[in-house]
Amino acid sequence: MDYTVLDCPDPAALARFYEQVLGWRTIRAEDDWHVIEGAPGRRLAFQLAPDFVPVDWPSVGVGIHLDLVIDAFGPAEEWVLSLGAERVDATPEHPTFRVYRDPVGHHFCLCLRD
């Protein structure tokens, strides 16, 4: 598998969000397609989809989401919220992860390292 692709109305803006969240860098930038990369072989792409509508979780299944491993919730959560993420769920039934939406509405989780 080469990389995961997220549809979005503004590939450059969403790529910038995830560059900051992950500390990765842009390796390809076009009007309708952006790719960021971290460690060799770890890539995330953003594809222009002007009519993108995010799913309404939890009433509708997520379909796909990203799990980002962290050492502690405090600093990681503050960081993603400051970049424009929105916390969706942090219930006591799930003490090892929290669910967020990126600025476009894709879901991702911050998961405590084992």
Side-chain angles (χ1 to χ4, degrees), residues 16-94:
R16 280 191 301 276
F17 171 80
Y18 281 103
E19 278 180 324
Q20 293 176 322
V21 167
L22 299 170
W24 292 8
R25 64 182 178 82
T26 295
I27 60 168
R28 187 170 168 190
E30 299 170 12
D31 290 341
D32 60 350
W33 182 259
H34 274 62
V35 179
I36 64 173
E37 182 178 55
R42 291 194 177 177
R43 297 183 192 138
L44 188 56
F46 308 91
Q47 176 175 273
L48 179 63
D51 299 326
F52 173 77
V53 176
V55 297
D56 184 23
W57 181 84
S59 65
V60 177
V62 172
I64 189 169
H65 70 277
L66 304 174
D67 280 349
L68 309 178
V69 179
I70 58 171
D71 293 318
F73 284 122
E77 180 172 85
E78 288 176 25
W79 178 244
V80 298
L81 293 175
S82 76
L83 296 173
E86 172 191 359
R87 188 166 78 187
V88 178
D89 181 50
T91 61
E93 297 86 39
H94 306 291

